[in-house]
């Protein structure tokens, strides 16, 4: 499987991973139609933008005061934000907008939360 790393704020200090890891490193704005790869979230004129940077998570609420905060994939109309997978990365709780789609990561599964109202 080929991995593409979009250089971002941490990579300026750390540098690219070792060549032996087999990652392709690119600058923001590169893409593979219909997608554009960015580091920071936001729309792009070149296609549907995929980014990371904020490491999104959503809070799911249950009965009473039960709630669970989980990392998620967050897809809007013009761009999507991918989760972070490392234990040291942290995350930012996002509030999806009407029409957005969210998929949470729970244990070793990806589950659709559904379209947000």
């Amino acid at each position: 499987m080929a991995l593409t790393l979009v250089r971002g704020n941490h990579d300026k200090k750390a540098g690219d991973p070792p060549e032996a890891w087999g990652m392709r490193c690119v600058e923001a704005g590169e893409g593979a139609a219909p997608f554009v790869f960015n580091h920071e979230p936001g729309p792009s004129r070149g296609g549907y933008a995929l980014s990371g940077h904020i490491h999104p998570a959503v809070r799911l609420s249950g009965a009473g005061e039960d709630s669970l905060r989980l990392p998620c994939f967050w897809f809007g109309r013009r761009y999507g934000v991918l989760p972070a997978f490392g234990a040291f990365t942290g995350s930012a709780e996002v509030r999806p907008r009407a029409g957005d789609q969210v998929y949470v990561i729970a244990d070793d599964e990806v589950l659709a939360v559904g379209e947000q109202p």
Side-chain angles (χ1 to χ4, degrees):
M1 171 177 25
L3 290 174
T4 300
L5 177 133
V6 179
R7 293 182 183 102
N9 55 315
H10 299 291
D11 304 303
K12 290 178 178 131
K13 204 174 226 184
D16 289 347
E19 198 172 306
W21 290 11
M23 289 182 164
R24 184 174 85 107
C25 298
V26 300
E27 297 298 328
E30 294 222 14
F35 302 105
V36 173
F37 307 133
N38 288 326
H39 180 71
E40 297 199 29
S44 176
R45 292 185 190 158
Y48 189 85
L50 293 173
S51 64
H53 186 62
I54 63 170
H55 313 298
V58 291
R59 183 166 303 280
L60 303 177
S61 298
E65 294 185 26
D66 289 344
S67 72
L68 189 59
R69 188 172 184 261
L70 296 170
C72 68
F73 292 87
W74 173 29
F75 297 107
R77 187 173 63 84
R78 297 187 56 210
Y79 64 93
V81 187
L82 308 176
F85 294 102
F88 67 95
T89 60
S91 60
E93 202 166 304
V94 297
R95 295 194 171 274
R97 296 174 292 276
D100 289 357
Q101 294 183 7
V102 174
Y103 300 86
V104 296
I105 301 165
D107 294 324
D108 60 352
E109 293 186 66
V110 176
L111 306 167
V113 172
E115 186 173 302
Q116 300 302 295

